[in-house]
Amino acid sequence: MEFDFSPVIDYLPVLLQGVGVTLLIGVAVAVMSVVGGQIVAVITLYTRKMVNWPLRFFIWLFMTTPLLLQLYFLYFGIGEWILIPAIVVGVLGLGFHYMAYNADIFIATIKSVSSGQYEASRSLGFGHLATLFYVVLPQAFNRALPQLSNNMIIMVKDISVLSAIGIGEMVYVSQYAISVTFRPFEFYITITVIYYLINLMMEAGQTWIERRAAYRS
Amino acid sequence: MTQTTETPMVELKGVKKRFGDLEVLKGIDLRVDRGRIISIIGPSGSGKSTLLRSVNNLEVIDEGQILLDGVQVNRPDLKGLAFEKHINHIRQNMGMVFQHFNLFPHLSTLENVTLAPRKLKGVSTSIARELGMELLERVGLADKAQVYPSALSGGQKQRVAIARALAMQPKVMLFDEATSALDPELVEEVNRVMKGLAEEHMTMLIVTHEMAFARDVSDWAMFMDGGVVVEANTPEHLFSHPDQERTQHFLRKHLGTQG
Protein backbone atom coordinates (compact mmCIF):
# COMPACT_ATOMS: atom_id res chain seq x y z
CA MET A 1 0.00 0.00 0.00
CA GLU A 2 1.26 3.42 -0.92
CA PHE A 3 0.88 6.52 1.19
CA ASP A 4 -0.22 9.65 -0.54
CA PHE A 5 -0.47 12.69 1.67
CA SER A 6 -1.28 15.14 -1.10
CA PRO A 7 -5.06 14.98 -0.39
CA VAL A 8 -4.26 15.87 3.21
CA ILE A 9 -2.38 18.93 1.98
CA ASP A 10 -5.36 19.83 -0.20
CA TYR A 11 -7.74 19.49 2.69
CA LEU A 12 -5.47 21.15 5.23
CA PRO A 13 -7.64 24.30 5.47
CA VAL A 14 -10.65 22.11 6.27
CA LEU A 15 -8.67 20.13 8.84
CA LEU A 16 -7.35 23.28 10.45
CA GLN A 17 -10.88 24.59 10.68
CA GLY A 18 -11.71 21.39 12.56
CA VAL A 19 -8.73 21.97 14.86
CA GLY A 20 -10.00 25.49 15.46
CA VAL A 21 -13.49 24.23 16.34
CA THR A 22 -12.03 21.62 18.70
CA LEU A 23 -9.87 24.20 20.46
CA LEU A 24 -12.70 26.74 20.73
CA ILE A 25 -15.07 24.14 22.18
CA GLY A 26 -12.26 23.01 24.50
CA VAL A 27 -11.76 26.51 25.89
CA ALA A 28 -15.50 27.11 26.28
CA VAL A 29 -16.04 23.78 28.03
CA ALA A 30 -12.98 24.27 30.26
CA VAL A 31 -14.20 27.68 31.43
CA MET A 32 -17.78 26.48 31.91
CA SER A 33 -16.86 23.28 33.72
CA VAL A 34 -14.24 24.82 36.01
CA VAL A 35 -16.29 27.88 37.00
CA GLY A 36 -19.50 25.86 37.17
CA GLY A 37 -17.79 23.05 39.06
CA GLN A 38 -16.72 25.46 41.77
CA ILE A 39 -20.19 26.96 42.05
CA VAL A 40 -21.80 23.52 42.27
CA ALA A 41 -19.25 22.43 44.89
CA VAL A 42 -19.76 25.53 47.03
CA ILE A 43 -23.55 25.26 46.91
CA THR A 44 -23.40 21.54 47.67
CA LEU A 45 -21.12 22.09 50.67
CA TYR A 46 -22.57 25.25 52.14
CA THR A 47 -26.33 24.86 51.78
CA ARG A 48 -28.75 22.51 53.45
CA LYS A 49 -29.36 19.10 51.93
CA MET A 50 -32.97 20.04 51.25
CA VAL A 51 -31.81 22.92 49.06
CA ASN A 52 -28.94 21.27 47.25
CA TRP A 53 -30.41 17.87 46.41
CA PRO A 54 -31.10 18.81 42.76
CA LEU A 55 -27.40 19.60 42.38
CA ARG A 56 -26.30 16.35 43.98
CA PHE A 57 -28.73 14.53 41.71
CA PHE A 58 -27.25 16.39 38.73
CA ILE A 59 -23.71 15.32 39.65
CA TRP A 60 -24.84 11.74 40.12
CA LEU A 61 -26.74 11.73 36.83
CA PHE A 62 -23.87 13.08 34.73
CA MET A 63 -21.28 10.85 36.35
CA THR A 64 -23.22 7.62 35.94
CA THR A 65 -24.39 7.92 32.33
CA PRO A 66 -22.35 7.91 29.09
CA LEU A 67 -21.46 11.23 27.49
CA LEU A 68 -22.86 10.09 24.14
CA LEU A 69 -26.24 9.34 25.70
CA GLN A 70 -26.26 12.76 27.37
CA LEU A 71 -25.55 14.43 24.04
CA TYR A 72 -28.28 12.46 22.24
CA PHE A 73 -30.65 13.27 25.05
CA LEU A 74 -29.94 17.00 24.79
CA TYR A 75 -29.86 17.15 20.99
CA PHE A 76 -32.49 14.69 19.80
CA GLY A 77 -34.53 14.30 22.99
CA ILE A 78 -35.00 17.91 23.96
CA GLY A 79 -34.75 18.78 20.26
CA GLU A 80 -38.26 17.37 19.90
CA TRP A 81 -39.54 20.50 21.59
CA ILE A 82 -36.91 23.15 21.08
CA LEU A 83 -34.29 23.14 18.41
CA ILE A 84 -30.95 24.07 19.94
CA PRO A 85 -27.98 24.58 17.60
CA ALA A 86 -25.66 21.56 17.69
CA ILE A 87 -22.66 23.62 18.80
CA VAL A 88 -24.61 24.94 21.80
CA VAL A 89 -25.72 21.42 22.69
CA GLY A 90 -22.13 20.24 22.34
CA VAL A 91 -20.68 22.87 24.63
CA LEU A 92 -23.51 22.54 27.18
CA GLY A 93 -23.41 18.73 27.11
CA LEU A 94 -19.66 18.45 27.52
CA GLY A 95 -19.73 21.40 29.91
CA PHE A 96 -22.28 19.80 32.23
CA HIS A 97 -20.55 16.45 32.00
CA TYR A 98 -17.18 17.83 33.08
CA MET A 99 -18.78 20.28 35.49
CA ALA A 100 -20.02 17.26 37.43
CA TYR A 101 -16.56 15.69 37.48
CA ASN A 102 -14.88 18.98 38.43
CA ALA A 103 -17.46 19.68 41.14
CA ASP A 104 -16.56 16.34 42.68
CA ILE A 105 -12.89 17.34 42.76
CA PHE A 106 -13.63 20.79 44.23
CA ILE A 107 -15.82 19.28 46.95
CA ALA A 108 -12.86 17.15 48.06
CA THR A 109 -10.28 19.95 47.90
CA ILE A 110 -12.49 22.54 49.62
CA LYS A 111 -12.99 20.04 52.44
CA SER A 112 -9.23 19.52 52.62
CA VAL A 113 -8.51 23.15 53.53
CA SER A 114 -7.71 23.05 57.25
CA SER A 115 -9.86 24.64 59.93
CA GLY A 116 -6.82 26.71 60.89
CA GLN A 117 -7.12 28.58 57.59
CA TYR A 118 -10.75 29.47 58.34
CA GLU A 119 -9.81 30.55 61.85
CA ALA A 120 -6.90 32.69 60.70
CA SER A 121 -9.14 34.43 58.18
CA ARG A 122 -12.03 34.89 60.60
CA SER A 123 -9.67 36.19 63.29
CA LEU A 124 -8.56 38.96 60.93
CA GLY A 125 -12.20 40.03 60.60
CA PHE A 126 -13.20 38.36 57.34
CA GLY A 127 -16.76 37.03 57.18
CA HIS A 128 -17.85 33.63 55.90
CA LEU A 129 -18.13 34.66 52.25
CA ALA A 130 -14.93 36.69 52.20
CA THR A 131 -13.10 33.77 53.81
CA LEU A 132 -14.44 31.52 51.09
CA PHE A 133 -13.35 33.85 48.28
CA TYR A 134 -9.98 35.05 49.52
CA VAL A 135 -8.73 32.07 51.49
CA VAL A 136 -10.54 28.79 50.89
CA LEU A 137 -11.35 28.73 47.17
CA PRO A 138 -7.90 29.82 45.94
CA GLN A 139 -6.30 27.05 47.99
CA ALA A 140 -8.91 24.50 46.94
CA PHE A 141 -8.28 25.53 43.33
CA ASN A 142 -4.51 25.06 43.63
CA ARG A 143 -5.02 21.64 45.15
CA ALA A 144 -7.51 20.68 42.45
CA LEU A 145 -5.17 21.62 39.60
CA PRO A 146 -3.50 18.23 38.98
CA GLN A 147 -6.84 16.43 38.70
CA LEU A 148 -8.49 19.32 36.89
CA SER A 149 -5.84 19.37 34.20
CA ASN A 150 -6.14 15.60 33.83
CA ASN A 151 -9.86 16.02 33.30
CA MET A 152 -9.28 18.75 30.74
CA ILE A 153 -6.87 16.54 28.79
CA ILE A 154 -9.49 13.79 28.68
CA MET A 155 -12.14 16.37 27.79
CA VAL A 156 -10.27 17.55 24.70
CA LYS A 157 -10.28 13.98 23.41
CA ASP A 158 -13.98 13.65 24.23
CA ILE A 159 -14.76 16.57 21.95
CA SER A 160 -14.51 13.99 19.14
CA VAL A 161 -17.76 12.49 20.46
CA LEU A 162 -19.50 15.67 19.30
CA SER A 163 -19.03 14.46 15.72
CA ALA A 164 -22.03 12.21 16.50
CA ILE A 165 -24.31 15.26 16.51
CA GLY A 166 -22.68 16.77 13.44
CA ILE A 167 -20.30 19.31 14.93
CA GLY A 168 -17.40 20.07 12.59
CA GLU A 169 -14.56 19.29 14.97
CA MET A 170 -11.37 17.44 14.00
CA VAL A 171 -12.75 13.92 13.62
CA TYR A 172 -15.87 15.10 11.83
CA VAL A 173 -14.01 17.14 9.21
CA SER A 174 -11.53 14.33 8.57
CA GLN A 175 -14.43 11.91 8.06
CA TYR A 176 -15.76 14.33 5.51
CA ALA A 177 -12.39 14.62 3.77
CA ILE A 178 -12.04 10.83 3.74
CA SER A 179 -15.48 10.39 2.20
CA VAL A 180 -14.36 12.59 -0.69
CA THR A 181 -10.72 11.48 -1.11
CA PHE A 182 -10.90 7.80 0.01
CA ARG A 183 -7.59 8.18 1.88
CA PRO A 184 -8.62 7.19 5.47
CA PHE A 185 -5.16 6.18 6.64
CA GLU A 186 -3.46 9.43 5.78
CA PHE A 187 -6.12 11.53 7.42
CA TYR A 188 -6.28 9.42 10.54
CA ILE A 189 -2.51 9.57 10.88
CA THR A 190 -2.62 13.33 10.46
CA ILE A 191 -5.26 13.97 13.11
CA THR A 192 -3.55 11.50 15.44
CA VAL A 193 -0.42 13.61 15.18
CA ILE A 194 -2.44 16.79 15.76
CA TYR A 195 -4.08 15.27 18.86
CA TYR A 196 -0.66 14.22 20.06
CA LEU A 197 0.69 17.76 19.61
CA ILE A 198 -2.29 19.29 21.42
CA ASN A 199 -1.79 16.84 24.25
CA LEU A 200 1.91 17.55 24.40
CA MET A 201 1.20 21.24 24.84
CA MET A 202 -1.44 20.57 27.47
CA GLU A 203 0.90 18.33 29.41
CA ALA A 204 3.60 20.98 29.35
CA GLY A 205 1.03 23.45 30.66
CA GLN A 206 -0.02 20.95 33.30
CA THR A 207 3.54 20.49 34.54
CA TRP A 208 4.05 24.24 34.74
CA ILE A 209 0.76 24.82 36.56
CA GLU A 210 1.35 22.00 39.01
CA ARG A 211 4.83 23.15 39.90
CA ARG A 212 3.52 26.64 40.54
CA ALA A 213 0.61 25.33 42.61
CA ALA A 214 2.82 23.04 44.71
CA TYR A 215 4.91 26.03 45.74
CA ARG A 216 1.77 27.88 46.75
CA SER A 217 0.09 25.25 48.86
CA MET B 1 -3.50 43.63 89.56
CA THR B 2 -3.64 47.37 90.02
CA GLN B 3 -7.17 48.49 89.43
CA THR B 4 -7.63 51.74 87.59
CA THR B 5 -10.77 53.62 86.70
CA GLU B 6 -9.99 53.56 83.00
CA THR B 7 -11.88 51.11 80.78
CA PRO B 8 -9.92 47.86 80.65
CA MET B 9 -8.77 46.79 77.20
CA VAL B 10 -10.04 43.26 77.77
CA GLU B 11 -12.40 42.17 80.47
CA LEU B 12 -13.87 38.76 81.22
CA LYS B 13 -16.72 38.37 83.69
CA GLY B 14 -17.82 34.95 84.87
CA VAL B 15 -16.94 33.25 81.59
CA LYS B 16 -18.14 29.66 81.33
CA LYS B 17 -17.69 27.27 78.44
CA ARG B 18 -18.75 23.66 78.01
CA PHE B 19 -17.84 21.09 75.38
CA GLY B 20 -20.71 18.62 75.75
CA ASP B 21 -20.66 17.49 79.37
CA LEU B 22 -17.19 18.79 79.99
CA GLU B 23 -16.97 22.23 81.53
CA VAL B 24 -13.66 23.67 80.30
CA LEU B 25 -14.06 27.19 81.69
CA LYS B 26 -15.75 27.38 85.07
CA GLY B 27 -16.35 31.06 85.56
CA ILE B 28 -13.29 33.09 84.65
CA ASP B 29 -12.82 36.74 85.59
CA LEU B 30 -9.98 38.73 84.13
CA ARG B 31 -9.13 42.37 83.61
CA VAL B 32 -6.40 43.47 81.25
CA ASP B 33 -5.56 47.15 81.29
CA ARG B 34 -4.23 49.05 78.31
CA GLY B 35 -0.60 48.24 77.53
CA ARG B 36 -0.49 45.31 79.95
CA ILE B 37 0.92 41.92 79.17
CA ILE B 38 -0.71 38.89 80.73
CA SER B 39 0.72 35.39 80.51
CA ILE B 40 -1.49 32.38 80.98
CA ILE B 41 0.23 29.13 81.89
CA GLY B 42 -1.09 25.73 82.86
CA PRO B 43 -1.10 22.06 81.88
CA SER B 44 -2.68 20.76 78.66
CA GLY B 45 -6.45 20.73 78.93
CA SER B 46 -6.48 23.38 81.61
CA GLY B 47 -8.65 25.63 79.45
CA LYS B 48 -6.04 28.30 78.72
CA SER B 49 -6.28 28.05 74.92
CA THR B 50 -10.07 27.90 75.07
CA LEU B 51 -10.01 31.04 77.19
CA LEU B 52 -7.87 32.88 74.66
CA ARG B 53 -9.94 31.66 71.71
CA SER B 54 -13.10 32.75 73.50
CA VAL B 55 -11.82 36.32 73.63
CA ASN B 56 -12.28 36.69 69.87
CA ASN B 57 -15.20 34.30 69.72
CA LEU B 58 -13.44 31.44 67.94
CA GLU B 59 -15.01 29.56 70.83
CA VAL B 60 -18.51 30.69 71.72
CA ILE B 61 -18.94 30.97 75.47
CA ASP B 62 -22.03 29.67 77.23
CA GLU B 63 -22.20 32.16 80.06
CA GLY B 64 -20.60 35.40 81.15
CA GLN B 65 -19.35 38.46 79.34
CA ILE B 66 -16.28 39.36 77.34
CA LEU B 67 -15.54 43.00 76.63
CA LEU B 68 -12.99 44.61 74.35
CA ASP B 69 -12.32 48.23 75.22
CA GLY B 70 -15.76 48.41 76.82
CA VAL B 71 -17.61 46.82 73.89
CA GLN B 72 -19.21 43.45 74.51
CA VAL B 73 -17.70 40.76 72.25
CA ASN B 74 -20.15 37.92 72.87
CA ARG B 75 -23.65 39.04 72.04
CA PRO B 76 -26.18 36.27 72.61
CA ASP B 77 -28.89 38.78 71.66
CA LEU B 78 -27.56 39.14 68.09
CA LYS B 79 -28.32 36.41 65.58
CA GLY B 80 -27.20 35.52 62.06
CA LEU B 81 -25.92 38.33 59.88
CA ALA B 82 -26.24 40.94 62.61
CA PHE B 83 -23.85 38.99 64.82
CA GLU B 84 -21.57 38.25 61.87
CA LYS B 85 -21.24 41.97 61.17
CA HIS B 86 -20.64 42.72 64.85
CA ILE B 87 -17.98 40.06 65.37
CA ASN B 88 -16.15 40.85 62.12
CA HIS B 89 -15.84 44.43 63.30
CA ILE B 90 -14.65 43.39 66.77
CA ARG B 91 -12.11 40.95 65.36
CA GLN B 92 -10.51 43.68 63.26
CA ASN B 93 -9.35 45.16 66.54
CA MET B 94 -7.78 41.96 67.83
CA GLY B 95 -4.74 40.26 66.42
CA MET B 96 -4.49 36.53 66.87
CA VAL B 97 -1.38 34.39 66.49
CA PHE B 98 -1.79 30.62 66.30
CA GLN B 99 0.41 27.72 67.30
CA HIS B 100 0.50 26.42 63.73
CA PHE B 101 0.93 29.87 62.12
CA ASN B 102 -1.94 29.34 59.64
CA LEU B 103 -0.36 31.55 57.01
CA PHE B 104 -2.22 31.59 53.70
CA PRO B 105 -0.09 29.32 51.49
CA HIS B 106 -1.46 30.69 48.22
CA LEU B 107 -0.27 34.21 48.98
CA SER B 108 3.23 35.64 49.17
CA THR B 109 4.56 36.83 52.50
CA LEU B 110 3.72 40.43 51.66
CA GLU B 111 0.24 39.50 50.39
CA ASN B 112 -0.40 37.60 53.62
CA VAL B 113 0.26 40.80 55.52
CA THR B 114 -1.65 43.14 53.21
CA LEU B 115 -4.74 41.04 52.45
CA ALA B 116 -6.80 42.17 55.45
CA PRO B 117 -6.01 45.91 55.29
CA ARG B 118 -6.73 45.93 51.54
CA LYS B 119 -9.96 43.98 51.61
CA LEU B 120 -11.36 44.98 54.99
CA LYS B 121 -10.20 48.56 55.38
CA GLY B 122 -10.07 49.42 51.68
CA VAL B 123 -6.44 50.53 51.95
CA SER B 124 -5.00 51.09 48.45
CA THR B 125 -2.54 48.54 47.11
CA SER B 126 0.40 50.94 47.22
CA ILE B 127 -0.24 52.11 50.77
CA ALA B 128 -0.90 48.53 51.92
CA ARG B 129 2.38 47.55 50.32
CA GLU B 130 4.22 50.27 52.21
CA LEU B 131 2.59 49.25 55.47
CA GLY B 132 3.30 45.58 54.76
CA MET B 133 6.97 46.22 54.04
CA GLU B 134 7.25 48.28 57.21
CA LEU B 135 5.80 45.42 59.25
CA LEU B 136 7.98 42.81 57.56
CA GLU B 137 10.96 45.05 58.29
CA ARG B 138 9.90 45.14 61.91
CA VAL B 139 9.85 41.33 62.17
CA GLY B 140 13.12 41.13 60.21
CA LEU B 141 11.72 39.58 57.03
CA ALA B 142 11.64 42.40 54.50
CA ASP B 143 13.90 40.34 52.22
CA LYS B 144 11.27 37.56 52.15
CA ALA B 145 8.39 39.75 50.94
CA GLN B 146 7.93 37.96 47.62
CA VAL B 147 8.52 34.46 48.98
CA TYR B 148 5.66 32.01 49.59
CA PRO B 149 5.11 30.46 53.04
CA SER B 150 6.23 27.01 51.85
CA ALA B 151 9.76 28.42 51.55
CA LEU B 152 9.91 29.81 55.10
CA SER B 153 11.12 28.20 58.32
CA GLY B 154 8.72 27.81 61.25
CA GLY B 155 10.15 30.81 63.04
CA GLN B 156 9.89 32.95 59.93
CA LYS B 157 6.30 31.81 59.35
CA GLN B 158 5.34 32.83 62.86
CA ARG B 159 6.99 36.22 62.47
CA VAL B 160 4.99 36.77 59.26
CA ALA B 161 1.85 35.68 61.13
CA ILE B 162 2.58 38.32 63.77
CA ALA B 163 3.09 40.95 61.06
CA ARG B 164 -0.18 39.87 59.45
CA ALA B 165 -2.05 40.32 62.73
CA LEU B 166 -0.40 43.71 63.34
CA ALA B 167 -1.40 44.95 59.90
CA MET B 168 -4.93 45.59 61.12
CA GLN B 169 -3.50 47.82 63.89
CA PRO B 170 -5.20 45.83 66.64
CA LYS B 171 -5.84 47.11 70.14
CA VAL B 172 -4.79 43.79 71.62
CA MET B 173 -2.73 40.82 70.50
CA LEU B 174 -3.62 37.25 71.44
CA PHE B 175 -0.87 34.63 71.29
CA ASP B 176 -1.99 31.01 71.43
CA GLU B 177 1.16 28.99 72.15
CA ALA B 178 2.97 30.91 69.45
CA THR B 179 6.26 29.05 69.93
CA SER B 180 5.04 25.55 70.85
CA ALA B 181 5.34 24.15 67.33
CA LEU B 182 8.82 25.55 66.77
CA ASP B 183 12.19 23.87 66.98
CA PRO B 184 13.99 25.16 70.10
CA GLU B 185 16.53 27.15 68.10
CA LEU B 186 13.73 29.06 66.35
CA VAL B 187 11.85 30.06 69.50
CA GLU B 188 14.14 32.97 70.29
CA GLU B 189 13.51 34.88 67.05
CA VAL B 190 9.76 34.85 67.70
CA ASN B 191 10.21 35.76 71.36
CA ARG B 192 12.35 38.71 70.28
CA VAL B 193 9.53 40.06 68.11
CA MET B 194 7.05 39.63 70.96
CA LYS B 195 9.41 41.43 73.35
CA GLY B 196 9.62 44.25 70.83
CA LEU B 197 5.83 44.57 70.94
CA ALA B 198 5.93 44.57 74.73
CA GLU B 199 8.37 47.47 74.67
CA GLU B 200 5.93 49.37 72.47
CA HIS B 201 3.26 48.79 75.12
CA MET B 202 1.01 46.61 73.01
CA THR B 203 -1.68 44.98 75.14
CA MET B 204 -1.03 41.24 74.98
CA LEU B 205 -2.59 38.04 76.20
CA ILE B 206 -0.09 35.22 75.92
CA VAL B 207 -0.82 31.54 76.37
CA THR B 208 2.57 29.86 76.60
CA HIS B 209 4.69 26.96 77.76
CA GLU B 210 7.79 29.15 77.83
CA MET B 211 8.08 29.88 81.55
CA ALA B 212 11.26 31.93 81.30
CA PHE B 213 9.74 34.08 78.57
CA ALA B 214 6.48 34.54 80.47
CA ARG B 215 8.38 35.59 83.53
CA ASP B 216 10.56 37.96 81.59
CA VAL B 217 7.99 39.72 79.46
CA SER B 218 4.69 39.84 81.34
CA ASP B 219 3.25 42.20 83.93
CA TRP B 220 0.91 39.60 85.33
CA ALA B 221 0.88 35.80 85.21
CA MET B 222 -2.03 33.43 85.60
CA PHE B 223 -1.87 29.73 86.34
CA MET B 224 -4.92 27.81 85.12
CA ASP B 225 -5.90 24.24 85.82
CA GLY B 226 -9.18 22.38 85.40
CA GLY B 227 -10.99 25.38 83.94
CA VAL B 228 -10.29 27.75 86.81
CA VAL B 229 -7.64 30.36 87.57
CA VAL B 230 -5.73 28.69 90.38
CA GLU B 231 -3.41 31.58 91.02
CA ALA B 232 -2.65 34.96 89.51
CA ASN B 233 0.12 37.29 90.55
CA THR B 234 3.13 39.23 89.41
CA PRO B 235 5.44 36.93 87.47
CA GLU B 236 8.20 37.35 90.09
CA HIS B 237 5.86 36.10 92.76
CA LEU B 238 4.09 33.40 90.75
CA PHE B 239 7.22 31.81 89.37
CA SER B 240 9.42 32.15 92.49
CA HIS B 241 7.03 31.75 95.40
CA PRO B 242 3.73 30.34 94.18
CA ASP B 243 1.11 30.26 96.94
CA GLN B 244 -0.86 27.26 95.74
CA GLU B 245 0.37 23.71 95.86
CA ARG B 246 -0.96 22.95 92.34
CA THR B 247 1.07 25.83 90.96
CA GLN B 248 4.16 24.69 92.81
CA HIS B 249 3.72 21.17 91.51
CA PHE B 250 3.23 22.34 87.91
CA LEU B 251 6.20 24.69 87.98
CA ARG B 252 8.47 22.08 89.59
CA LYS B 253 7.59 19.65 86.85
CA HIS B 254 7.86 22.19 84.06
CA LEU B 255 10.95 24.04 85.16
CA GLY B 256 12.52 20.69 86.02
CA THR B 257 12.07 19.35 82.51
CA GLN B 258 13.15 22.64 81.01
CA GLY B 259 16.37 22.99 82.96
Side-chain angles (χ1 to χ4, degrees), chain A residues 12 15-16 21 80 97 101 118 152 171 176 183:
Chain A
L12 206 58
L15 280 188
L16 286 179
V21 170
E80 295 251 313
H97 186 84
Y101 277 99
Y118 284 88
M152 294 304 98
V171 173
Y176 163 74
R183 308 295 313 185

Side-chain angles (χ1 to χ4, degrees), chain A residues 6 9 31 34 50 62 76-77 82-83 88-89 96 111 125 131 134 138 154 158 168 170 185 190 194 204 211:
Chain A
S6 58
I9 311 272
V31 170
V34 170
M50 288 284 284
F62 275 90
F76 300 116
I82 11 164
L83 200 65
V88 177
V89 169
F96 282 131
K111 277 184 179 169
T131 297
Y134 298 130
I154 300 171
D158 270 353
M170 278 161 68
F185 221 69
T190 307
I194 295 173
R211 200 172 300 145

Side-chain angles (χ1 to χ4, degrees), chain A residues 189-204:
Chain A
I189 287 175
T190 307
I191 63 164
T192 301
V193 170
I194 295 173
Y195 267 118
Y196 177 74
L197 289 176
I198 292 175
N199 242 290
L200 215 61
M201 283 190 287
M202 289 190 75
E203 270 171 36

Side-chain angles (χ1 to χ4, degrees), chain B residues 110-148:
Chain B
L110 182 63
E111 288 164 343
N112 261 279
V113 178
T114 58
L115 181 72
R118 278 193 300 124
K119 302 297 181 190
L120 291 170
K121 285 188 172 169
V123 175
S124 73
T125 312
S126 60
I127 293 178
R129 200 189 150 78
E130 238 167 76
L131 168 82
M133 287 309 295
E134 218 169 87
L135 286 165
L136 286 176
E137 191 92 45
R138 189 154 147 200
V139 298
L141 288 169
D143 57 327
K144 302 281 185 193
Q146 303 307 328
V147 163
Y148 283 76

Side-chain angles (χ1 to χ4, degrees), chain A residues 18-176:
Chain A
V19 173
V21 170
T22 294
L23 292 179
L24 265 178
I25 292 176
V27 170
V29 171
V31 170
M32 175 179 165
S33 66
V34 170
V35 174
Q38 283 195 80
I39 295 171
V40 170
V42 166
I43 295 174
T44 308
L45 285 174
Y46 292 97
T47 57
R48 290 171 200 279
K49 282 207 160 118
M50 288 284 284
V51 179
N52 65 39
W53 73 262
L55 278 180
R56 284 182 291 122
F57 178 72
F58 153 87
I59 293 181
W60 175 83
L61 195 67
F62 275 90
M63 290 179 85
T64 51
T65 55
L67 174 62
L68 189 60
L69 175 67
Q70 292 162 16
L71 290 173
Y72 281 160
F73 190 85
L74 283 173
Y75 192 56
F76 300 116
I78 293 178
E80 295 251 313
W81 296 288
I82 11 164
L83 200 65
I84 315 170
I87 187 92
V88 177
V89 169
V91 170
L92 286 181
L94 263 183
F96 282 131
H97 186 84
Y98 279 93
M99 193 189 285
Y101 277 99
N102 291 347
D104 217 38
I105 297 170
F106 283 124
I107 287 173
T109 58
I110 289 171
K111 277 184 179 169
S112 77
V113 175
S114 75
S115 60
Q117 291 291 313
Y118 284 88
E119 289 187 346
S121 171
R122 297 307 308 272
S123 77
L124 286 168
F126 285 109
H128 283 294
L129 264 183
T131 297
L132 191 66
F133 278 112
Y134 298 130
V135 176
V136 179
L137 285 183
Q139 291 183 52
F141 188 81
N142 279 351
R143 289 179 195 193
L145 275 173
Q147 282 172 285
L148 276 184
S149 46
N150 271 340
N151 274 1
M152 294 304 98
I153 285 173
I154 300 171
M155 180 269 285
V156 168
K157 292 182 285 181
D158 270 353
I159 293 171
S160 62
V161 178
L162 300 187
S163 62
I165 56 169
I167 291 175
E169 49 67 61
M170 278 161 68
V171 173
Y172 186 89
V173 294
S174 55
Q175 293 283 49
Y176 163 74

